Amino acid sequence: GVLRVRNEHADLLLSDRQSVVLISKAVQIAVERALRDPQTPDIEQLLAEIVDDQQMIDGLRIFDLDLRATVVSKSRVGTDLVATDLLRHVIATGHADGVARGDGAERAFYYLMPLRAANGTIVGAMEIAHLLAAVDGRLGSADVQRHARTRPEYG
């Protein structure tokens, strides 16, 4: 029983992260195009619209090569600490990576992706934050329902 519950939790977390990664790739393409196009009026407005329109995205930040946040969306995530080691790794390797950080209601999954210029060189990185409270709530709800089904009834 305990092993099954752990497997279900792991499956739900994996599914949630896979959804964040898929959405992140689409956002990465949109942001890279916007950064390349001099006609793009306001990248911050674009990020704000993305955060407002997506339930999976709770915050977006763009970093330059010096690891400074150059654009920050209005975020539903609390005070975000930059995972500088991971950010350096993503910029150096050109490969996306993610990490879960925080605790309680502020627990979030951060997915970092390199941002490339038209010629393919890395010009920075983008971080997408996804609060895990909804996933934690679904896990807790599933545990309560499972417990109610297995609890013997008295009287």
Side-chain angles (χ1 to χ4, degrees):
V2 171
L3 186 57
R4 186 186 65 189
V5 169
R6 284 185 184 159
N7 287 338
E8 289 174 7
H9 286 193
D11 289 346
L12 184 57
L13 286 171
L14 178 63
S15 174
D16 189 67
R17 287 188 183 179
Q18 287 173 335
S19 295
V20 170
V21 169
L22 287 173
I23 291 168
S24 297
K25 288 179 183 181
V27 172
Q28 178 185 25
I29 291 167
V31 169
E32 286 178 337
R33 285 186 181 162
L35 290 172
R36 293 173 190 162
D37 183 3
Q39 301 297 323
T40 302
D42 188 4
I43 194 81
E44 289 182 41
Q45 181 180 352
L46 172 67
L47 295 185
E49 289 173 8
I50 291 170
V51 171
D52 289 343
D53 290 345
Q54 286 291 328
Q55 291 183 350
M56 296 297 292
I57 299 175
D58 296 300
L60 280 165
R61 294 190 293 181
I62 295 177
F63 295 90
D64 64 15
L65 294 175
D66 294 323
L67 310 183
R68 289 185 304 241
T70 57
V71 180
V72 178
S73 74
K74 182 174 71 175
S75 179
R76 293 186 286 261
V77 180
T79 305
D80 295 339
L81 299 174
V82 178
T84 54
D85 290 343
L86 186 58
L87 192 54
R88 278 189 193 98
H89 175 74
V90 166
I91 289 173
T93 65
H95 297 290
D97 204 350
V99 63
R101 298 182 75 182
D103 56 11
E106 293 300 316
R107 202 163 76 88
F109 175 65
Y110 297 91
Y111 192 66
L112 291 93
M113 297 154 285
L115 292 174
R116 300 183 192 291
N119 65 5
T121 60
I122 296 173
V123 295
M126 181 174 61
E127 172 195 79
I128 292 186
H130 169 62
L131 287 173
L132 295 174
V135 176
D136 292 340
R138 288 192 313 230
L139 291 173
S141 175
D143 288 343
V144 168
Q145 289 174 0
R146 190 179 302 82
H147 180 69
R149 286 194 308 262
T150 59
R151 187 183 63 221
E153 294 297 322
Y154 297 98

